[in-house]
Amino acid sequence: MPELQRLQADHASAVLAFELANRTYFAAAVSDRGDDYFDQFADRHSALLAEQEADTCAFYVLVAEDGSVLGRFNLVNIEDHTAELGYRVAQHVAGRGVATATVRNLCQLAATRHGLRTLRAATARENAASQKVLTKSGFVPVGPAEPADVGGKPGTWYQRHL
């Protein structure tokens, strides 16, 4: 059974493997992160852990029984009991309810562990799968999202009160 775990230093190699294995799949929905992201991954991972330590963000990974990462689920820009939700799941588990179940779980953690009252998430207009995950998880559309908010593509903001 996969387990949602708070991001830790020892997740670095599994997260990098997840990102590399799914790079082309992710780039179909949002702009590619570019080679620099992968070349500087260790530094970026350390920076995420520092942000998490400062309580401005909370990063989670969905870890399979074999230790591989099946997805990343992030709460960023935590301020005034509100945060932005971002997530991505591996191509081989997409369409199986993994993202929806984990987003629902993270919504509970956002309220109980992080004291959040509202979550926002932006998704590209053509990303029907992400829109479905959000609506099944209790989010409602609240307005347009700029391309800068959605990896370079026009989109929609969704919101959920916890």
Side-chain angles (χ1 to χ4, degrees):
M1 189 83 180
E3 180 184 358
L4 189 61
Q5 299 176 4
R6 189 95 184 248
L7 185 67
Q8 300 172 31
D10 63 357
H11 288 128
S13 62
V15 172
L16 179 57
F18 163 81
E19 291 289 348
L20 286 168
N22 292 283
R23 185 176 183 180
T24 302
Y25 172 65
F26 295 148
V30 294
S31 297
D32 184 65
R33 291 185 165 174
D35 292 337
D36 285 348
Y37 174 84
F38 298 98
D39 293 342
Q40 300 169 9
F41 184 81
D43 292 337
R44 178 70 183 132
H45 190 75
S46 294
L48 292 177
L49 293 172
E51 286 182 69
Q52 183 168 262
E53 187 66 28
D55 287 329
T56 58
C57 300
F59 303 105
Y60 289 87
V61 287
L62 185 64
V63 180
E65 291 178 14
D66 66 1
S68 65
V69 171
L70 300 175
R72 297 180 71 177
F73 298 82
N74 304 320
L75 300 171
V76 299
N77 300 326
I78 296 174
E79 187 177 346
D80 295 327
H81 303 286
T82 301
E84 294 174 18
L85 167 69
Y87 57 90
R88 52 179 52 199
V89 297
Q91 184 174 14
H92 73 278
V93 298
R96 297 182 184 179
V98 171
T100 301
T102 308
V103 166
R104 287 176 179 164
N105 185 11
L106 187 56
C107 286
Q108 291 175 340
L109 287 174
T112 59
R113 184 179 291 172
H114 302 288
L116 299 175
R117 295 185 197 131
T118 304
L119 292 181
R120 294 172 35 89
T123 185
R125 287 188 191 131
E126 69 261 8
N127 191 342
S130 188
Q131 293 165 21
K132 191 174 181 180
V133 167
L134 292 171
T135 56
K136 283 183 157 189
S137 300
F139 287 77
V140 296
V142 293
E146 297 297 320
D149 298 324
V150 195
K153 300 182 180 189
T156 303
W157 278 104
Y158 287 76
Q159 187 167 293
R160 176 179 170 179
H161 296 288
L162 304 174

